[in-house]
Amino acid sequence: MSRPSDYDDGTGAGGSLRAESPEIGLKGWLRWFWRQLTSMRVALLLLLLLAVAAIPGSLLPQRSADPNGVIQYEADHPKLFPILDAFPIQAFDVYGSVWFSAIYLLLFISLIGCVLPRITHHWKAWRGEPPRTPARLQRMAGFSEIRVSNPSATPEEREAFAESAVAEAQGILKRLRYRTVVRSVTRRGRTEVSVSAERGYLRETGNLVFHVALVGVLISVGIGGALTFNGQKVVIEGETMVNQLIDYDTATSGRAFDTSTLEPFSLRMNSLDVTYMTPEDGNINALGQVKDYTANMTLSGEDGKESEHTIRVNHPLRVHGSPVYLIANGYAPKLTIKNADGDVVYQEAMPFIPQDPSNMTSLGVVKVPYGITESDGKHTQLGLRGFFYPTQAELDTGAYTSNYPDLENPVLTLDVFTGDLGIDSGIPQSVYVLDTDNMEQLTGRAVDKDSLELRPGDTVDLPNGLGTISFDAIPRYASFDVMQNPAQVWILVFALAALGGLLWSLFVPRRRMWVKAIPNEDGVVLEYAGLARGDDPALARAVEELQAKHRERL
């Protein structure tokens, strides 16, 4: 038996055939990259990568949120800091770094690339007709059939009955809000009439709304991050805060924020009223718990006009689009410190930070950078660290505590330190923290000397003849947060739209239903079936209900 002339038996005698694929080229590679980038798998991967990339921003101080922390980190880690701060790591500016921005932009492009083709496809499906009736409905969910026997009927009468039965089924499906189309096809010499119906297009609409809204959230967050401003200010009763960058205790802003957009206004806190639970409220176990905080404010606008307002927890004052929130409060003991010559070197109220929010035991620090003269004639810096007890009580150990948050028995205890406060080192310090590394402690348990103890109106001597300290008053303070974000309304709108679209897509089933009439020698066979686009446990029952309604009408 002869073999073909090009047969290759492994020796190469007949010649070798090798399949060669055409070169993809630059255009082909770009098309491949775009398809990969716009796939849902890559979009999910980028979303996960974005979450992972945000971790360094929460572990390391960021220049935009904590510039002092970055300076302190540089002082504590002088060798590691240049490496982390160098391009392209940018560990102290994570959210503005090149690599984080690249992930964010790729995710943004990927979502758009996923959504746009789906919108086009959905629009075509919305305007198109339901799909054709399958040749074998037996393979579909909920399949059932009814045989209508009438051997004496003519072929024309059977076809007429089949058409009327399908028309009746079409009417039922339309009333159930299905889109329908009637088709006829000839198979094996018989004309089969069927109605194809589909509903649930709004499921995909809700899905698209969710993804479009997600893109809107990303855009709004990006714009808001560039234009946002957030400032915090501690205000003591009787003091005034001004909506200017220099007046805030701490402030963070976006890269594109313009300080000239801050509306000129001022707020004076006249009083901070605190309402506590009393026996009249009917709950003895809740005595001393706070019912409400109310800051009574005077607002002064650019025109000089004043108006009275109140700010409460979760009830901010909205001024020119900048909500002012009440976020914290406490006591600010007012102290007067005089040196040995009787000159006043310090006189102000200093906020103490609550350590026990239920009873307001508070910790505070006072720093006197100049004006204190020691016995040898040298000037020294003075630091005080102590506790304030609104209602002082003594424990079995002899330590003090507070057993009620209001001013029933106020006591202030202070430990005295002298030396270098460290405020001239060039590294910013918190006013609420006392660095005692280069200071000598004069009072307190550590040196076995009693702490200074004062009640309102008391004046006591400082140790070593440094002068005197007076406890003048106990005003309250409140911490306010002023926000300005032009995109926050749009973030809310898109977030609600995303939530609505998600719920919409979850609760709207996508179904296809078919009713087919097949004439035969004995009569007409009516077939019913359905198909779910997704999970639809109620589909079989829906087919049964359609069959029951159709049978009743026939």
Side-chain angles (χ1 to χ4, degrees):
M1 182 177 180
S2 62
R3 296 176 176 176
S5 60
D6 60 350
Y7 173 76
D8 186 4
D9 59 358
T11 62
S16 61
L17 297 177
R18 184 178 62 183
E20 296 184 359
S21 59
E23 293 292 335
I24 297 179
L26 177 61
K27 187 176 181 180
W29 280 112
L30 290 176
R31 184 183 295 111
W32 177 85
F33 176 77
W34 175 254
R35 288 177 178 174
Q36 297 299 316
L37 179 61
T38 55
S39 65
M40 186 58 66
R41 178 180 58 186
V42 173
L44 293 175
L45 181 62
L46 288 172
L47 189 60
L48 176 62
L49 189 60
L50 187 70
V52 174
I55 294 177
S58 61
L59 298 178
L60 297 173
Q62 301 296 298
R63 285 192 173 90
S64 60
D66 186 12
N68 294 338
V70 176
I71 297 174
Q72 186 64 47
Y73 192 92
E74 182 179 10
D76 297 339
H77 307 85
K79 295 183 178 180
L80 181 61
F81 181 84
I83 299 176
L84 296 178
D85 196 40
F87 180 86
I89 300 178
Q90 300 172 286
F92 302 99
D93 193 14
V94 168
Y95 307 112
S97 62
V98 174
W99 53 273
F100 190 87
S101 301
I103 298 173
Y104 189 89
L105 290 176
L106 285 175
L107 175 61
F108 180 71
I109 294 172
S110 178
L111 286 175
I112 293 179
C114 289
V115 170
L116 289 181
R118 290 179 61 180
I119 292 177
T120 303
H121 178 75
H122 181 57
W123 175 251
K124 292 180 179 178
W126 189 281
R127 300 189 64 186
E129 294 182 342
R132 293 181 177 276
T133 305
R136 296 182 179 179
L137 290 180
Q138 294 86 345
R139 300 177 178 179
M140 301 301 166
F143 172 77
S144 62
E145 65 179 16
I146 298 176
R147 294 183 176 273
V148 181
S149 298
N150 189 3
S152 60
T154 64
E156 292 77 10
E157 290 174 341
R158 295 169 188 164
E159 291 181 3
F161 177 79
E163 292 175 356
S164 63
V166 168
E168 193 64 41
Q170 183 183 26
I172 296 174
L173 290 169
K174 281 186 175 181
R175 285 190 289 273
L176 295 175
R177 297 182 180 180
Y178 281 84
R179 293 173 57 192
T180 63
V181 60
V182 175
R183 296 185 178 96
S184 60
V185 61
T186 302
R187 289 190 179 96
R188 300 175 183 177
R190 296 180 301 184
T191 301
E192 300 178 358
V193 185
S194 65
V195 56
S196 179
E198 187 173 12
R199 78 172 185 183
Y201 292 91
L202 293 179
R203 181 186 183 93
E204 179 66 10
T205 302
N207 203 343
L208 292 174
V209 168
F210 169 76
H211 285 88
V212 171
L214 186 60
V215 174
V217 169
L218 289 176
I219 296 175
S220 300
V221 169
I223 295 176
L227 301 177
T228 188
F229 171 80
N230 187 252
Q232 295 79 35
K233 175 69 175 179
V234 174
V235 182
I236 301 172
E237 288 178 324
E239 292 186 352
T240 300
M241 62 173 287
V242 180
N243 189 35
Q244 293 298 323
L245 190 62
I246 194 173
D247 193 49
Y248 287 101
D249 297 327
T250 58
T252 57
S253 59
R255 293 178 176 272
F257 175 74
D258 184 5
T259 56
S260 63
T261 61
L262 289 174
E263 296 287 344
F265 67 85
S266 64
L267 280 171
R268 182 177 71 251
M269 188 169 76
N270 303 316
S271 64
L272 178 64
D273 299 331
V274 183
T275 306
Y276 298 100
M277 296 289 289
T278 63
E280 288 75 14
D281 294 314
N283 188 355
I284 298 180
N285 295 327
L287 292 180
Q289 293 186 6
V290 177
K291 294 172 60 178
D292 195 13
Y293 297 100
T294 303
N296 301 302
M297 315 294 293
T298 298
L299 171 65
S300 298
E302 186 177 10
D303 54 2
K305 294 183 179 180
E306 295 186 349
S307 56
E308 303 298 323
H309 300 273
T310 60
I311 304 177
R312 297 162 53 204
V313 178
N314 296 327
H315 292 81
L317 170 64
R318 302 188 182 275
V319 184
H320 306 291
S322 300
V324 183
Y325 293 90
L326 173 63
I327 58 176
N329 73 96
Y331 293 102
K334 184 177 181 180
L335 303 176
T336 299
I337 300 176
K338 296 181 181 180
N339 60 18
D341 298 328
D343 299 326
V344 176
V345 295
Y346 178 93
Q347 188 178 40
E348 62 180 274
M350 183 63 195
F352 276 47
I353 308 302
Q355 307 298 303
D356 176 15
S358 59
N359 291 312
M360 297 297 287
T361 300
S362 305
L363 172 66
V365 168
V366 175
K367 299 179 183 180
V368 185
Y370 55 87
I372 295 296
T373 305
E374 292 186 345
S375 57
D376 56 2
K378 294 182 180 180
H379 291 279
T380 185
Q381 295 178 339
L382 179 69
L384 304 173
R385 182 175 62 195
F387 284 91
F388 175 69
Y389 309 95
T391 303
Q392 180 263 339
E394 188 171 345
L395 300 175
D396 295 337
T397 60
Y400 286 172
T401 186
S402 177
N403 56 16
Y404 191 73
D406 207 0
L407 299 174
E408 298 295 337
N409 182 29
V411 172
L412 175 66
T413 61
L414 295 169
D415 290 339
V416 183
F417 298 82
T418 59
D420 184 9
L421 291 170
I423 58 178
D424 301 323
S425 62
I427 299 176
Q429 289 186 355
S430 170
V431 296
Y432 305 108
V433 177
L434 181 65
D435 184 5
T436 61
D437 292 341
N438 298 317
M439 303 191 78
E440 178 187 359
Q441 185 172 355
L442 303 181
T443 64
R445 292 186 178 182
V447 294
D448 198 23
K449 291 186 178 181
D450 292 338
S451 302
L452 302 182
E453 183 174 325
L454 299 95
R455 298 177 183 273
D458 288 351
T459 299
V460 298
D461 294 330
L462 293 171
N464 296 348
L466 296 177
T468 62
I469 179 170
S470 301
F471 189 5
D472 301 332
I474 317 173
R476 286 182 177 269
Y477 74 86
S479 179
F480 295 97
D481 186 272
V482 181
M483 298 179 60
Q484 182 173 312
N485 188 344
Q488 62 181 354
V489 175
W490 288 107
I491 293 176
L492 176 62
V493 170
F494 285 122
L496 292 176
L499 179 61
L502 181 61
L503 294 176
W504 198 342
S505 64
L506 289 176
F507 293 104
V508 175
R510 181 79 179 270
R511 292 174 178 172
R512 291 175 179 174
M513 303 280 275
W514 294 281
V515 178
K516 182 191 293 187
I518 307 173
N520 57 20
E521 294 78 5
D522 187 50
V524 176
V525 178
L526 299 176
E527 296 182 348
Y528 306 84
L531 177 67
R533 298 289 300 275
D535 187 20
D536 188 359
L539 178 62
R541 186 173 68 250
V543 175
E544 293 178 2
E545 292 175 353
L546 172 63
Q547 183 195 47
K549 290 181 180 180
H550 192 217
R551 187 168 184 173
E552 290 178 3
R553 298 298 298 270
L554 291 180

